[in-house]
Amino acid sequence: MTPGGAGLALSWADTVPDVTAAPLPTARVVLDSAGRAPVLPAAREAYLAALDEGWADPRRLHSEGRRARALLDGAREAVAALVGARTEEVDLAPSHTAALHGAVRTVARGRRRVGGTVVASAVERMAVLDAADLAASESGGGTRVTVPVDRSGQVDLAAFAEAVAAPGVSLAALQHANGEVGTRQPVAEAHAAARAAGVPLLVDAGSSFGHVPVGAAWDVLTLDPGDVGAPPGVAVLVTRAGVRRSPVGPADEDRWFPGGVAVPAALAAAVALQHADARVRAGDDDRAALVDRVRSRVAGIRLVDVAGPAAHAERLPHVLTFSCLYVDGEAVVTALDRAGFAVASGSACTSATETPSHVLAAMGLLSQGNVRLSLPRGTTAADVDRFCAVLPGVVADLRRAAGAGDL
């Protein structure tokens, strides 16, 4: 406080808690990049440059506002080129969750005269399933039809085709690949079935784009730039011409996502997506072999269940989930964090409610003691070997502490 109590003089460091009392191990290995990958240097540079050139409100008519608008439109144009769409079909959302919510609710509302039913696979993100429930309730008579999956996590195509062909379906949703277990879905076949029924298909490619080719089998598409190294604050929603949508909130100049997004974040998102797409096209990715390496070592631990398909063509190259019986997933994550490894737990949709993973439950798999890996670009064989060397001891110690040490 300044003399006389006139005010406060704070730096940014004064506003955050002190975490230096318990320093992290110096050799950290990050194996959790889902939705929040390390920021790419090129995306960081684009963000910082746009802070100087695109700080103004892009809705203003002065020169600074027009410059910001040009940068924002350029970001949308760049994203459109990546997915084979027109610039006017690309909307920028403040988060991937907002993009999914907006896609489901605005399409369902736009097609409410057709009916209020939303078809979705059992392993969609909770953002999609919750939005489908809300959209169905808002229709005044619709419902959410959930299509089952097999033990690998792949949707039952016959059941999906039957569901979308039923009367009153406003929208169908099928993720391109599952971000928890890595399973890729037959989106081309599902899109053909939906098109035959006259139903638009929402494809969530938030876990896929930048890791595998996404293709053109979609009517509505979402992307998550944060998953490939963009700073947080922008996601992508693309809607093909001809798909009817209707806003669900108060009128705003940005009618799909009122208030718009920050121009620097939009430019950084476009740059990150461009870099990720280029790496996919170049085939520059050895993470599938690293996942195979972890998969084989994990399978050697007693009472551990590895989820998802093993074949490279059927899964994302960088994702792996496994479950350890007689241990808690959050406890494994915490113990590994202390040992220098950043991983996630697939044992809960939200750790606050401790709800078991709906994805693993839908697959009929063990939902106890889950650990999810999503390897960022740059992960090395030495990184995964260190992880595989530490993991058995962590699991054994936790089982011992839980009274199951004789396993």
Side-chain angles (χ1 to χ4, degrees), residues 13-35:
D14 295 317
T15 67
V16 297
D18 180 12
V19 296
T20 59
L24 295 173
T26 55
R28 297 284 295 173
V29 175
V30 176
L31 302 176
D32 176 25
S33 63

Side-chain angles (χ1 to χ4, degrees), residues 34-400:
R36 285 292 183 271
V39 175
L40 288 176
R44 184 192 304 273
E45 291 173 12
Y47 188 93
L48 293 175
L51 285 177
D52 294 329
E53 296 296 325
W55 56 266
D57 186 340
R59 294 174 291 188
R60 302 296 174 86
L61 298 180
H62 48 59
S63 296
E64 290 79 4
R66 292 198 301 272
R67 186 179 300 117
R69 168 55 66 179
L71 290 175
L72 187 62
D73 289 343
R76 293 173 58 233
E77 183 178 1
V79 173
L82 293 175
V83 298
R86 297 183 296 182
T87 303
E88 58 268 27
E89 296 173 330
V90 175
D91 295 303
L92 301 179
S95 69
H96 190 220
T97 297
L100 292 170
H101 285 175
V104 173
R105 295 186 67 200
T106 60
V107 174
R109 181 174 173 81
R111 287 173 45 83
R112 60 190 179 277
R113 292 184 179 179
V114 175
T117 295
V118 178
V119 174
S121 83
V123 292
E124 298 301 307
R125 295 178 200 258
M126 287 307 302
V128 171
L129 299 180
D130 289 342
D133 288 337
L134 180 58
S137 68
E138 290 172 336
S139 71
T143 186
R144 188 237 296 177
V145 174
T146 305
V147 182
V149 298
D150 61 21
R151 287 185 65 82
S152 73
Q154 194 167 92
V155 71
D156 183 332
L157 263 177
F160 187 89
E162 181 180 359
V164 297
V169 177
S170 60
L171 175 68
L174 182 65
Q175 59 195 200
H176 189 271
N178 187 270
E180 187 171 326
V181 298
T183 303
R184 295 172 65 172
Q185 299 292 350
V187 290
E189 294 85 347
H191 186 238
R195 174 171 290 184
V199 175
L201 179 68
L202 163 64
V203 173
D204 171 11
S207 295
S208 297
F209 191 92
H211 305 291
V212 294
V214 169
W218 50 270
D219 300 299
V220 185
L221 179 74
T222 63
L223 308 178
D224 185 3
D227 192 71
V228 292
V234 168
V236 176
L237 171 59
V238 191
T239 310
R240 297 284 193 197
V243 177
R244 186 176 179 84
R245 294 171 63 196
S246 180
V248 295
D252 188 87
E253 184 174 341
D254 295 292
R255 61 177 181 161
W256 304 121
F257 299 102
V261 298
V263 172
L267 194 64
V271 169
L273 291 170
Q274 286 178 322
H275 276 251
D277 180 70
R279 297 191 73 165
V280 169
R281 292 178 184 276
D284 178 21
D285 197 345
D286 58 359
R287 291 176 298 171
L290 297 179
V291 168
D292 287 342
R293 200 169 187 145
V294 178
R295 191 184 186 98
S296 64
R297 296 282 293 275
V298 167
I301 303 174
R302 292 196 62 192
L303 299 175
V304 170
D305 187 13
V306 180
H312 290 184
E314 298 176 4
R315 62 173 171 87
L316 293 174
H318 65 301
V319 174
L320 179 67
T321 286
F322 55 90
S323 303
C324 309
L325 194 61
Y326 300 118
V327 296
D328 177 74
E330 318 302 342
V332 179
V333 169
T334 301
L336 287 170
D337 186 53
R338 290 171 179 161
F341 301 93
V343 302
S345 176
S347 63
C349 299
T350 59
S351 58
T353 60
E354 298 183 356
T355 304
S357 166
H358 73 285
V359 171
L360 297 178
M363 295 167 64
L365 300 181
L366 178 68
S367 59
Q368 179 186 15
N370 304 133
V371 175
R372 183 178 69 252
L373 308 182
S374 48
L375 278 56
R377 297 272 189 175
T379 302
T380 68
D383 292 334
V384 300
D385 284 345
R386 282 182 54 203
F387 173 78
C388 292
V390 168
L391 179 66
V394 166
V395 174
D397 288 345
L398 291 172
R399 284 175 174 167
R400 191 177 302 111

